[in-house]
Amino acid sequence: MKRMFLAIIGLTMMFDLSAQKKVLTMEEAVIGYHLYPRSKYFQWQGDKNQLTYLDREGLMSESVDKGEKKVLLTVAELNKILGTELKGYPNIEWLDANTLVISRQGSIYHIDVDKKQLKQTFTFPKGAANETYSKAANAYAYTIDNNLYYQDERGNSYTVTTDQDKNIVNGQVVSRNEFGIKGGIFWSPDGKKLGFYRKDESQVTNFPLLDINTRTGELKEIKYPMAGMKSELVSFGVYDIASGKTTFLDVNDFGREQYMPGVTWSPESDLVYIQVLNRGQDHMRLNSYDASTGKRVATLFEEKSKTYVEPQSALVFMPNNSKQFIYSTNNRDGYMNLYLHDVTGKLIKRLTDVDADVEFVAVDRAGKYVYYLSSEVSPVEKQLFRVDVKSGKKNRLTAEEGWHNITMSGDCAYFIDNYSSIKIPRNVDLTANTGKVVRRLQEVENPNKDYNYGEITLGSIKADDGSDLYYRLIKPMDFDPNKKYPVIHYVYGGPHSQLVTNTWNASLRMWEMYMAQHGYVVFVIDNHGTPNRGKAFEEVIHRQCGQVEMKDQVKGIEWLKSFPWVDAERIGIHGWSYGGFMTISLITNYPEIYKVAVAGGPVIDWKWYEVMYGERYMDTPQENPEGYAKTSLIAKAKDLKGKLLICQGAVDPVVVWEQSLSFIRECIKNNVQVDYFPYPCAEHNVMGRDRIHLMQKVTNYFEDYLK
């Protein structure tokens, strides 16, 4: 009888548990991709007003007017065409309305969708990378090691550069991906010329990274130009396909140590436009160059700043007028806006006359409307607008609050609106260019509905200067206002990173919710220096990184401490990279606030960071010795009072190991206890399943010393 009674109790408990909502596991918190709203990848079928996407049947097509669906290519047909069995969905793109492109295992396949047959295959040699296509030439340029090649439509490969010196790198990213630079190969519109970056790193110092995967270990050296030291020398070559000769542009505005972002070919393929920026990053010239002779044709205009000029985008030529182009800058009216110029440099008009940062999306073929995303409704939202180029009249095209991602059709008659908000997991709408929703393509279900989540709040407080600072706040699971809870303060705080947005769950990282489920209040706030707030809000950090940011972060914590359910004696902080710098800055400068900290891949002293980013925000150590001294954390090591754990990727090529090891050395000198955990094979971010170990390490540290 007793056993039966216990069995009934156990069965009842089992049913009770099954009815309860779930709590995240650490694995789910780190790599639980199923917990994020995921939509179909809708694309336009080239310049055709036809939607395409992949599903279980294969490649699908959907008409915009009636929503009629059909299968363009089944999975079996794709497998037959490629001569292999696809595992998972491949990455696809459209060259035109009938040509599908799939890249797989060293080859790129062009598929005729109507005929359901292989149109062309480009197979590249081992080690090929940076494959870049020219439709006009029907050819791909690519790199192997440090040299540049191209393959024509017949499959013949040609050598463009033959540099033996490994310090000379052709056709690849320069300036460490700063200034919006994402590649190093630039085909001319007519396909007859091939532009490319050439990078000379012979004067750049090496930094050794330790590879422990060999029997005795091996040092692998990377080129790492530190602030105030010698930098790479960038030039720009133009290779003529017919003659096989290369001409280098005469770009010599500011000496050899200068930057060349915003590379743009003229529509006629005779000129190359480059936004030439001095090493000090406070003076930019927009120049045009003759692509045949390399001579500078003209300087269209210049931009200067007392802080920095930061070009991020190439020019966009008007489709109906090749003598006019759209230029983006935040250096004229205080916000990132769009301006219409002619090819002499004359300003025709400011297209987006708004006190908010905007982002170019498209211009229609007639050149009548320019479409752009704007933060003018709210800095934590992105809304689509269009402006009439002639009249200047603008219209808002997206009505729902939140963060909108837009894909315009080729003729700009329609757009795919993929958006979310704190209320909406994800919706995908087909919308006419007037803003009228044609129909909903997909409504993504809440992927977290079976989990017990703490309440998420998106809000703002006032900074000392009266500006708004936006935060997200997560209360503990099963929150009781009569209890006191410890706090996890997560921070990044650096330029070009906005953590708080009006998106699903306010853009939280799932580990934050994991901590809320384990009894913590989790708080995140964006400080001065972060984007979508205008130039003045961003550049206030110039020459003093971390100082204003700390004040803003502490302002947020002081506000949080006003709530009776916050335990002011148990506040911890965590951040990575710039966030690691902020974490150590805050625990050493405000020991009365922070009891425990975990810093990952932290910048310790800006003199050890790279030239392009470091000198933009701090100038050089020679120009700003007081700023470097004030922001350095070496001098702060002796002030560490709380518990600090530093985690570091041992082969980090971004924030090199010298940074955190130097801080540890200073702690030892001052007999200050600190905890340290290296990840021997990790780069700047600990990725994959290793990250589960990392976040468990971070969690354990707070559990041990903050709970």
Side-chain angles (χ1 to χ4, degrees), residues 430-628:
L430 172 63
T431 309
N433 63 8
T434 58
K436 181 181 179 181
V437 176
V438 177
R439 67 178 173 276
R440 177 144 297 162
L441 299 173
Q442 187 178 10
E443 188 167 318
V444 180
E445 186 181 34
N446 176 7
N448 315 139
K449 59 181 173 41
D450 295 330
Y451 290 80
N452 191 352
Y453 274 15
E455 178 188 352
I456 306 168
T457 304
L458 177 68
S460 67
I461 64 168
K462 293 294 183 182
D464 288 338
D465 64 0
S467 58
D468 290 319
L469 302 175
Y470 290 88
Y471 68 82
R472 71 170 169 264
L473 172 65
I474 310 173
K475 290 180 180 177
M477 179 178 71
D478 304 324
F479 175 72
D480 182 349
N482 297 311
K483 290 184 178 180
K484 281 190 175 293
Y485 296 95
V487 174
I488 299 293
H489 179 189
Y490 180 72
V491 62
Y492 181 78
H496 297 291
S497 181
Q498 185 177 6
L499 296 185
V500 182
T501 57
N502 189 0
T503 53
W504 179 238
N505 287 342
S507 299
L508 65 80
R509 302 180 316 147
M510 207 56 69
W511 176 79
E512 296 172 35
M513 187 56 70
Y514 177 92
M515 297 304 283
Q517 288 179 329
H518 287 76
Y520 294 88
V521 171
V522 182
F523 183 71
V524 181
I525 190 167
D526 281 330
N527 48 243
H528 281 81
T530 54
N532 288 322
R533 302 299 303 278
K535 185 174 173 65
F537 188 88
E538 292 181 22
E539 70 181 11
V540 71
I541 71 172
H542 188 240
R543 292 172 65 92
Q544 54 171 355
C545 283
Q547 306 311 297
V548 177
E549 300 97 299
M550 280 194 290
K551 290 180 181 178
D552 288 347
Q553 294 291 332
V554 169
K555 190 84 172 180
I557 288 296
E558 292 297 342
W559 168 81
L560 187 64
K561 285 164 59 177
S562 67
F563 294 100
W565 36 265
V566 168
D567 189 340
E569 301 301 316
R570 293 188 294 163
I571 298 178
I573 185 166
H574 171 47
W576 202 275
S577 193
Y578 200 105
F581 164 68
M582 288 292 294
T583 294
I584 300 177
S585 296
L586 285 161
I587 195 172
T588 53
N589 281 278
Y590 297 91
E592 71 280 7
I593 294 178
Y594 298 99
K595 181 180 179 182
V596 183
V598 181
V603 173
I604 297 297
D605 193 309
W606 290 102
K607 72 172 178 285
W608 291 315
Y609 200 63
E610 52 96 341
V611 166
M612 298 80 186
Y613 184 103
E615 292 182 3
R616 181 184 319 136
Y617 302 116
M618 288 292 293
D619 289 336
T620 67
Q622 297 90 333
E623 295 167 327
N624 184 21
E626 298 85 1
Y628 275 81

Side-chain angles (χ1 to χ4, degrees), residues 316-333:
V316 178
F317 279 89
M318 297 296 284
N320 64 321
N321 187 345
S322 65
K323 302 302 179 185
Q324 295 181 353
F325 61 84
I326 298 170
Y327 175 72
S328 303
T329 182
N330 68 351
N331 202 52
R332 296 182 183 177
D333 298 289

Side-chain angles (χ1 to χ4, degrees), residues 73 77-78 80-83 98-102 107-123:
L73 288 168
E77 288 170 336
L78 276 171
K80 183 178 179 181
I81 292 170
L82 297 174
N98 189 47
T99 308
L100 183 72
V101 179
I102 296 180
S107 295
I108 298 178
Y109 302 90
H110 290 194
I111 298 171
D112 186 313
V113 175
D114 285 345
K115 296 180 179 179
K116 298 187 178 183
Q117 65 185 29
L118 191 61
K119 192 175 183 179
Q120 200 165 5
T121 303
F122 293 86
T123 300

Side-chain angles (χ1 to χ4, degrees), residues 642-654:
K643 296 291 297 184
L644 171 63
L645 168 65
I646 298 176
C647 298
Q648 174 77 52
V651 288
D652 188 339
V654 179

Side-chain angles (χ1 to χ4, degrees), residues 205-209 220-224 226 656-658:
T205 54
N206 295 326
F207 190 89
L209 301 176
K220 293 186 175 180
E221 293 188 330
I222 61 168
K223 290 292 183 178
Y224 196 89
M226 290 187 179
V656 292
W657 210 359
E658 182 174 3

Side-chain angles (χ1 to χ4, degrees), residues 303-483:
E303 288 196 354
K304 297 180 181 180
S305 173
K306 293 180 180 178
T307 54
Y308 51 85
V309 179
E310 192 176 10
Q312 291 286 316
S313 306
L315 311 181
V316 178
F317 279 89
M318 297 296 284
N320 64 321
N321 187 345
S322 65
K323 302 302 179 185
Q324 295 181 353
F325 61 84
I326 298 170
Y327 175 72
S328 303
T329 182
N330 68 351
N331 202 52
R332 296 182 183 177
D333 298 289
Y335 293 89
M336 184 63 74
N337 269 213
L338 306 179
Y339 301 83
L340 185 64
H341 285 263
D342 69 19
V343 291
T344 69
K346 178 184 176 183
L347 175 64
I348 298 172
K349 62 166 44 181
R350 180 181 176 184
L351 291 171
T352 53
D353 190 2
V354 58
D355 288 344
D357 288 342
V358 310
E359 175 187 343
F360 174 81
V361 173
V363 55
D364 63 26
R365 292 168 183 167
K368 182 177 182 181
Y369 293 110
V370 171
Y371 296 81
Y372 62 94
L373 286 164
S374 175
S375 300
E376 61 198 81
V377 174
S378 168
V380 297
E381 295 189 23
K382 281 290 182 73
Q383 299 286 348
L384 182 67
F385 290 77
R386 77 174 181 186
V387 59
D388 187 302
V389 173
K390 186 175 181 179
S391 70
K393 181 182 178 181
K394 71 174 183 179
N395 297 99
R396 178 177 169 180
L397 303 180
T398 48
E400 297 290 339
E401 71 171 68
W403 196 277
H404 294 257
N405 295 290
I406 303 298
T407 307
M408 300 294 300
S409 64
D411 61 359
C412 292
Y414 300 93
F415 60 88
I416 302 166
D417 180 14
N418 188 322
Y419 70 95
S420 74
S421 71
I422 196 165
K423 302 173 184 176
I424 298 170
R426 184 154 302 281
N427 287 338
V428 185
D429 290 340
L430 172 63
T431 309
N433 63 8
T434 58
K436 181 181 179 181
V437 176
V438 177
R439 67 178 173 276
R440 177 144 297 162
L441 299 173
Q442 187 178 10
E443 188 167 318
V444 180
E445 186 181 34
N446 176 7
N448 315 139
K449 59 181 173 41
D450 295 330
Y451 290 80
N452 191 352
Y453 274 15
E455 178 188 352
I456 306 168
T457 304
L458 177 68
S460 67
I461 64 168
K462 293 294 183 182
D464 288 338
D465 64 0
S467 58
D468 290 319
L469 302 175
Y470 290 88
Y471 68 82
R472 71 170 169 264
L473 172 65
I474 310 173
K475 290 180 180 177
M477 179 178 71
D478 304 324
F479 175 72
D480 182 349
N482 297 311
K483 290 184 178 180

